Amino acid sequence: MKKVIGNLVGGLVGAAILNIVHQAVAQFSEDAPRVDKVGEEALSKGLDKIGIQPPQGKKLFLTTLAADVISNAAYYSFIGTVRRKNIIELGLAAGLLAGVGALTLTKPMGLDDKPITRTNKTKCMTVAWYTIGGLAAGLVIKALRR
């Protein structure tokens, strides 16, 4: 049980760091990826498809942020399923994979990919932020295993 809780805590820390970096850099850089905009579109389209009126404005942003933190925390928590000596490497790989997935899967899912693919700098930051989140999750999970 302690391992599961450590994995969930690590996943939550990785997801929190990912979102903090996304939001902070968006305040200072025009090239910053806007994954939140992709998430808002995905949430709105998903709710529309099942006949639920999506929230608007700040409510949409906060609902999307909560869903993003929960989904990324769950994803990053799987980093802890490997042996302790490989956790940091898996954290890096999981983050890298999530970043590349964000760039390559958005358009095939019927979403506007411009908020994360606008420029080469935007693309690099998208992958980097997810990788940072994966690394943070791996470091926390490893530390909690000691």
Side-chain angles (χ1 to χ4, degrees):
M1 186 64 163
K2 182 179 175 185
K3 184 178 175 181
V4 171
I5 291 171
N7 292 350
L8 291 172
V9 168
L12 184 58
V13 169
I17 288 175
L18 164 66
N19 281 282
I20 289 167
V21 170
H22 270 296
Q23 293 303 313
V25 176
Q27 302 301 313
F28 304 104
S29 173
E30 287 183 10
D31 291 317
R34 296 302 308 266
V35 176
D36 54 320
K37 299 300 180 192
V38 176
E40 288 175 359
E41 180 187 6
L43 181 65
S44 293
K45 284 184 173 182
L47 290 175
D48 274 341
K49 282 190 182 205
I50 59 172
I52 298 174
Q53 179 69 31
Q56 301 294 313
K58 185 100 170 158
K59 269 188 163 179
L60 176 61
F61 171 78
L62 292 174
T63 304
T64 302
L65 181 62
D68 191 56
V69 169
I70 291 166
S71 62
N72 282 307
Y75 173 75
Y76 286 143
S77 71
F78 284 106
I79 292 166
T81 61
V82 299
R83 292 186 309 178
R84 192 171 111 189
K85 72 176 196 165
N86 301 108
I87 289 174
I88 294 173
E89 291 86 351
L90 183 57
L92 284 168
L96 181 63
L97 183 62
V100 171
L103 294 179
T104 60
L105 297 175
T106 305
K107 197 169 215 160
M109 292 172 62
L111 302 170
D112 180 12
D113 68 346
K114 291 205 182 13
I116 57 174
T117 62
R118 234 176 7 264
T119 67
N120 285 334
K121 191 173 177 182
T122 307
K123 292 175 191 176
C124 288
M125 283 190 265
T126 298
V127 174
W129 300 170
Y130 280 99
T131 304
I132 289 168
L135 175 60
L139 289 167
V140 170
I141 291 167
K142 186 167 186 168
L144 292 174
R145 293 246 182 115
R146 291 188 182 139

